Amino acid sequence: MGEATPLLSLRGITKRFGALVANDDIDLDLQRGEMLALLGENGAGKTTLMNILFGHYTADEGSIEIDGAPLPPGSPKAALGAGLGMVHQHFTLADNMSVVDNIMVGVEPLTRFRRNTAAAVAKIRALAERYEMDVSPYSLVKHLSVGQRQRVEILKALYRHTRILILDEPTAVLTPQESDHLFATLRLLVDQGLAIIFITHKLREVMAASDRCLVLRHGKVVFACRTATTSSEQLARRMVGGELPEVRRIAATPGDPLLELGGLSAENDHGYQLLDHLDLTVNAGEIVGIAGVSGNGQSQLADLVSGMIADFSGTFMLAGAPIEKPSPRQMVRRGVGRIPEDRTATGLIGDMTVLENLALESYWKRGFNRLGFLAAVPLRQRTAELLGRFDIRCAGADAPVRTMSGGNMQKLILARVLAERPILIVANQPTWGLDVGATAFVHQRLIEASREGAGVLLISEDLDELFAIADTIQVMYQGTLSPPIDPARTNAAEIGLAMSGQRDISQAMISARD
Amino acid sequence: MRLEPRAHTSMAMTILVPVGAAALALMSCSVLILWAGASPFLALTLLVKGSLGSVFALSETLTRTIPLIFTGLAAAVAFRAKLWNIGAEGQFYLGACAATWLGTGAIDLPPPLLIPLLFAAGAIAGGLWLLGPTLLKTRLAVDEVVTTLLLNFVVLLFVNWLVFGPWKDPMAMGWPQAEPVVDAALLPPLVAKTRLHGGLLIAVFAAVLFWVVMKYTTWGYEIRAVGNNQAGATFAGIPIDRVVIRTALLSGGIAGCAGVSELLGVKGYLTLDLSPGFGYSGIVVAMLAGLHPLGVLLSALFIAALSIGADSMSRALNISNYIADIATAISLLAVLAGMMLTRYRIRFR
């Protein structure tokens, strides 16, 4: 390359945080009409690089040029002015406002009293039509689907004359079909001369959609190439920096039912039906995967089995015994191991130590509680043993957990759960945001636990994860579950149809093949 | 200028922040003293002398330290659980009321039994007084900052009514004060010819006890877990409401003890000026101590020395003793800013 002046050019970007080099001499070129995939494990430096690009951080060394003109460092305003736009993974829209209000906010002149909404609406309509996005300017954001909201975010960027669009994990919240739609839209944009960077760790998307890819590892660019000349295996090896960890599948031999939910319904405080006459059985020794687009009741299902929802109707049986008024402590007592969706917000207590966090679900048990005092010696012994057994890297038993990496935090939670030898494990997004190595570790441990007789309820929005380790998959849609599907006899497209509510079609496709 | 999170906080930083805050407070007072027309150097010398410079000065400072340790602990334990008890002042007075009720002749016991009994009564009164706002918080999510603060005035009016009405001492020549407690209830002096009393030992013991509870017991563990991350504690199965109520009883109880200690150790009878705002100063003491029970000992001493020293300085130089209040306020602000600096570093571009 190097024929024309690149639209965006990063040269020798280096950023240090103390001893940690987050970005190490990174070069990046982006041409008009090009789609670049930025890959890397957690902590590889992708977020830091984007923060530097947008002026939230200042690079210690290096320079940024947009269309040949240097971009002043540390100025978000200059970055936006130069045509950089970002679509965040977690949308930055106000739910109670209309699409046009959301798009206009922040770009109106402060000195004008009246807003020129009509002009904005016309412009949004024109943009939406040009790029084939079905968004009505006057709908309220809260009435839009996740995919539509993402299109509003893209429109918002386009409205501001964005020339370089950056998307952070754009498909994390989408069904496979919605992802295809998104990439079709992005392709249209690129054809119009925009440049796009998308951050992801889903190799399938990289191979399908990008023109070029750039792999970051430990803050360095370890691999850059045209997508057509590489393979997902090669990219994965570059990301991990070696051979891929292998997860050993072991054949399942399902035993007695451990968790039985029958006609189970639950509402939230506002009377909104979150679980709707749901039936589910998890047997000993099997991993039941729950697929679904986020917000279809998966969190409530996990909360229910974790003992966080006390009010429900229907039957809730655990190991043959009914549960009437569940509480977290009761579920722990009855042998339910719980891996929550959000490790920092609910799984751990950040300012407390590794030892104290490992004890959270057992400190009250005999052996650890001596006349109201925490039994220091047994707790230390157990902590040391678990740190070793689960290969948890930390500064020691007395280090606060907030200083640990995401992968080690998740290992800590896994250790806390598995140390109690649970009969049932409910894991909600257990590998969300983890790197390949940590993901494989979590998967391996879940498989082992299930083969030793535990039932595993695995809730995940990542279809690859479900196909990798679940023995049977059920799709959640608006608080209900599809019948169990054998992962060996289906594919992502069929599951995706069920995720978007087309359960009958998906069932028909599966049975038609038999 | 921007803030960046620090990877870890060094021990030196943790100690340097409160000490630096104290130094900053004294320095900024120098400006005010200069403005008031006195020499800051002389004033600060007098302040130190007046608080620590003689046996008498030291004894006065330590006497003032006692109630601040109790109320400082009250704030420290409650704030650890994110229970914002601003009502230590009211709990202080209710503790004193309970001790007055039982200690003015209603019970006849020897000192070793009577004094602990009165402390227990004061603790129960203070603890129960905080229970109301706490139940409103756990059951109905009513903000305890508002309720505990406003209940202070309810208590003050109640005490006002008591000392002007049913409990008024007929021998007090018309002064609004209750009858004095019996001799057997008085805390013995620690140093002859000073006001320093045995309450100091109780306060220090309480601080050590609170430290042990917070660090080594399941109660303390639960309080810290609930305070640091309530959602996480709930998920782990810690009974949040029970922990918060327990914390309230501890916090209100120790604040009640402050009132008992002042009553039995300094005044001997209940009046409306038993506390010059010890309940509120306790908040400053706890914050300066970083909510650490043993740190409360030192920060209570600092605040006490500041106010005793400022009294003596203002008498000698004829400038207002409000200087002490300003120094207290500045040290609190400096600590709050400093605490942020222990977790973040400032970067200048």
Side-chain angles (χ1 to χ4, degrees):
Chain A
M1 300 229 310
E3 53 277 12
T5 316
L7 184 54
L8 174 70
S9 156
L10 299 164
R11 282 284 163 272
I13 297 288
T14 300
K15 176 72 183 171
R16 297 182 196 89
F17 295 104
L20 178 82
V21 186
N23 282 168
D24 189 356
D25 194 22
I26 290 180
D27 291 341
L28 185 158
D29 280 320
L30 189 63
Q31 303 288 346
R32 277 171 202 79
E34 195 177 35
M35 185 137 48
L36 175 78
L38 186 60
L39 284 136
E41 297 204 283
N42 267 23
K46 296 170 295 189
T47 312
T48 307
L49 188 64
M50 291 306 121
N51 275 324
I52 291 171
L53 196 51
F54 277 87
H56 300 308
Y57 290 150
T58 312
D60 296 326
E61 288 159 36
S63 63
I64 304 171
E65 281 183 7
I66 291 184
D67 218 357
L71 181 72
S75 164
K77 208 174 154 188
L80 295 175
L84 282 165
M86 178 110 184
V87 175
H88 292 273
Q89 185 179 3
H90 301 284
F91 303 146
T92 54
L93 300 172
D95 281 358
N96 55 347
M97 285 165 69
S98 69
V99 170
V100 56
D101 286 340
N102 266 292
I103 290 177
M104 284 178 78
V105 74
V107 288
E108 296 165 284
L110 269 180
T111 46
R112 281 250 302 281
F113 190 67
R114 287 191 47 197
R115 309 194 311 158
N116 193 350
T117 313
V121 166
K123 190 170 164 189
I124 293 166
R125 286 225 162 97
L127 283 170
E129 195 169 330
R130 186 160 159 210
Y131 298 112
E132 298 169 20
M133 291 191 250
D134 56 331
V135 176
S136 151
Y138 291 113
S139 356
L140 288 182
V141 165
K142 66 178 164 199
H143 296 146
L144 300 182
S145 74
V146 179
Q148 284 174 318
R149 285 178 203 209
Q150 191 171 50
R151 293 197 269 287
V152 175
E153 286 277 13
I154 294 172
L155 276 176
K156 196 161 119 186
L158 295 177
Y159 186 85
R160 289 158 199 222
H161 306 289
T162 293
R163 293 188 291 169
I164 303 162
L165 185 64
I166 295 160
L167 300 104
D168 186 10
E169 304 251 349
T171 58
V173 291
L174 303 180
T175 62
Q177 280 81 4
E178 281 176 317
S179 302
D180 292 346
H181 189 160
L182 169 72
F183 285 114
T185 307
L186 295 184
R187 183 49 65 189
L188 271 174
L189 292 173
V190 165
D191 289 345
Q192 299 280 341
L194 251 81
I196 290 179
I197 300 178
F198 70 96
I199 300 170
T200 187
H201 60 252
K202 293 187 185 168
L203 299 169
R204 199 154 29 89
E205 291 164 2
V206 178
M207 296 309 296
S210 70
D211 301 314
R212 273 197 308 135
C213 42
L214 197 68
V215 181
L216 290 189
R217 179 169 165 75
H218 297 323
K220 284 198 186 91
V221 176
V222 291
F223 189 59
C225 72
R226 302 215 137 265
T227 309
T229 64
T230 185
S231 65
S232 46
E233 289 73 31
Q234 187 179 20
L235 287 177
R237 275 197 301 275
R238 297 290 186 167
M239 260 167 77
V240 187
E243 285 308 305
L244 292 179
E246 211 173 313
V247 175
R248 273 181 306 118
R249 290 291 297 258
I250 312 167
T253 43
D256 298 333
L258 280 174
L259 173 71
E260 292 164 276
L261 304 179
L264 201 129
S265 299
E267 295 178 348
N268 70 1
D269 296 341
H270 309 292
Y272 190 75
Q273 188 96 21
L274 297 169
L275 299 177
D276 187 5
H277 297 87
L278 172 142
D279 297 303
L280 173 68
T281 303
V282 179
N283 297 313
E286 72 170 352
I287 300 178
V288 176
I290 305 291
V293 178
S294 104
N296 273 295
Q298 298 97 316
S299 305
Q300 285 70 33
L301 177 60
D303 280 352
L304 178 87
V305 184
S306 301
M308 301 285 284
I309 294 178
D311 287 323
F312 62 88
S313 60
T315 56
F316 181 0
M317 308 271 280
L318 185 66
I323 299 225
E324 262 135 39
K325 278 274 163 202
S327 73
R329 175 83 51 107
Q330 189 195 2
M331 300 315 278
V332 172
R333 273 214 178 96
R334 295 233 194 160
V336 177
R338 301 145 335 128
I339 301 175
E341 185 173 9
D342 191 332
R343 18 181 196 276
T344 48
T346 47
L348 298 168
I349 295 180
D351 282 331
M352 290 175 76
T353 65
V354 170
L355 181 144
E356 288 171 330
N357 273 283
L358 273 172
L360 264 180
E361 289 176 350
S362 51
Y363 71 93
W364 43 270
K365 290 185 177 169
R366 205 201 310 251
F368 296 135
N369 176 359
R370 292 204 181 129
L371 305 170
F373 281 81
L374 292 170
V377 177
L379 279 173
R380 288 222 169 265
Q381 279 169 356
R382 191 180 88 124
T383 304
E385 192 241 310
L386 290 178
L387 290 184
R389 180 141 68 96
F390 286 84
D391 187 30
I392 301 169
R393 310 277 169 83
C394 60
D398 295 318
V401 294
R402 71 180 152 76
T403 58
M404 296 165 71
S405 71
N408 280 303
M409 285 184 180
Q410 195 69 334
K411 283 183 183 177
L412 193 156
I413 293 176
L414 198 65
R416 181 172 81 200
V417 164
L418 294 180
E420 301 299 314
R421 307 206 132 268
I423 57 167
L424 177 75
I425 299 167
V426 48
N428 192 1
Q429 311 263 55
T431 59
W432 188 88
L434 297 190
D435 60 35
V436 179
T439 299
F441 184 90
V442 171
H443 285 168
Q444 192 66 55
R445 292 300 167 116
L446 287 178
I447 291 175
E448 283 167 17
S450 80
R451 298 317 174 239
E452 284 163 19
V456 178
L457 180 62
L458 171 66
I459 298 169
S460 180
E461 283 159 27
D462 182 353
L463 283 184
D464 293 342
E465 167 162 61
L466 295 175
F467 278 108
I469 71 166
D471 300 311
T472 164
I473 293 178
Q474 289 182 260
V475 180
M476 196 151 192
Y477 179 71
Q478 293 188 349
T480 62
L481 278 176
S482 73
I485 304 167
D486 181 351
R489 292 169 48 216
T490 186
N491 55 44
E494 285 163 0
I495 299 281
L497 274 175
M499 282 164 71
S500 58
Q502 321 267 343
R503 198 172 279 167
D504 298 342
I505 304 177
S506 126
Q507 276 301 315
M509 285 170 76
I510 294 167
S511 27
R513 199 167 328 106
D514 295 341
Chain B
M1 194 181 110
R2 61 189 67 215
L3 292 170
E4 283 182 5
R6 281 177 199 275
H8 61 93
T9 306
S10 69
M11 192 68 197
M13 201 71 186
T14 328
I15 295 167
L16 215 65
V17 161
V19 173
L24 187 71
L26 292 178
M27 257 157 46
S28 12
C29 283
S30 308
V31 178
L32 289 170
I33 293 166
L34 206 62
W35 193 13
S39 147
F41 181 75
L42 181 64
L44 290 181
T45 315
L46 284 169
L47 193 147
V48 173
K49 265 195 186 158
S51 56
L52 309 166
S54 64
V55 173
F56 174 75
L58 192 62
S59 77
E60 278 299 294
T61 297
L62 286 175
T63 308
R64 179 63 68 94
T65 308
I66 299 167
L68 291 177
I69 294 175
F70 284 119
T71 54
L73 289 174
V77 68
F79 289 6
R80 267 268 179 258
K82 295 239 162 72
L83 172 70
W84 306 112
N85 174 18
I86 315 295
E89 188 77 4
Q91 293 137 24
F92 174 103
Y93 272 107
L94 272 187
C97 286
T100 304
W101 181 46
L102 295 175
T104 48
I107 297 173
D108 186 23
L109 283 172
L113 292 177
L114 185 58
I115 291 174
L117 181 83
L118 294 181
F119 267 94
I124 290 169
L128 289 181
W129 190 245
L130 183 51
L131 193 58
T134 308
L135 288 175
L136 282 174
K137 174 191 165 83
T138 55
R139 297 279 159 84
L140 302 170
V142 178
D143 188 350
E144 74 277 18
V145 172
V146 177
T147 50
T148 54
L149 177 67
L150 292 183
L151 282 176
N152 286 342
F153 301 102
V154 174
V155 176
L156 281 174
L157 289 169
F158 174 65
V159 174
N160 194 42
W161 172 72
L162 283 178
V163 296
F164 275 101
W167 281 9
K168 188 166 178 177
D169 182 7
M171 313 294 285
M173 318 220 288
W175 290 100
Q177 60 189 51
E179 270 182 60
V181 293
V182 295
D183 286 350
L186 293 176
L187 287 164
L190 281 186
V191 181
K193 290 183 196 156
T194 69
R195 299 203 298 165
L196 185 58
H197 56 87
L200 182 65
L201 303 179
I202 302 175
V204 171
F205 174 73
V208 173
L209 189 69
F210 269 58
W211 173 66
V212 170
V213 167
M214 291 305 285
K215 193 165 161 69
Y216 294 108
T217 68
T218 51
W219 279 24
Y221 175 80
E222 288 173 335
I223 290 173
R224 284 182 290 128
V226 170
N228 277 325
N229 180 353
Q230 187 163 341
T234 308
F235 185 84
I238 294 175
I240 305 292
D241 289 358
R242 224 188 298 161
V243 172
V244 173
I245 288 168
R246 206 186 282 151
T247 311
L249 293 176
L250 278 176
S251 171
I254 200 73
C257 288
V260 180
S261 155
E262 281 299 281
L263 183 79
L264 307 186
V266 180
K267 270 266 156 74
Y269 50 84
L270 179 66
T271 63
L272 267 176
D273 60 359
L274 191 62
S275 157
F278 287 139
Y280 302 108
S281 307
I283 296 169
V284 182
V285 169
M287 294 307 287
L288 280 178
L291 307 186
H292 194 293
L294 296 183
V296 162
L297 293 174
L298 287 179
S299 63
L301 183 67
F302 171 71
I303 298 292
L306 208 57
S307 66
I308 297 288
D311 275 347
S312 127
M313 175 196 75
S314 72
R315 276 194 304 274
L317 293 177
N318 198 23
I319 55 178
S320 167
N321 63 355
Y322 281 124
I323 295 279
D325 293 340
I326 294 172
T328 308
I330 293 176
S331 59
L332 177 63
L333 291 176
V335 161
L336 293 179
M339 276 187 190
M340 201 179 62
L341 289 184
T342 60
R343 300 190 68 162
Y344 297 91
R345 70 171 83 242
I346 298 179
R347 287 244 169 172
F348 299 94
R349 293 202 274 116

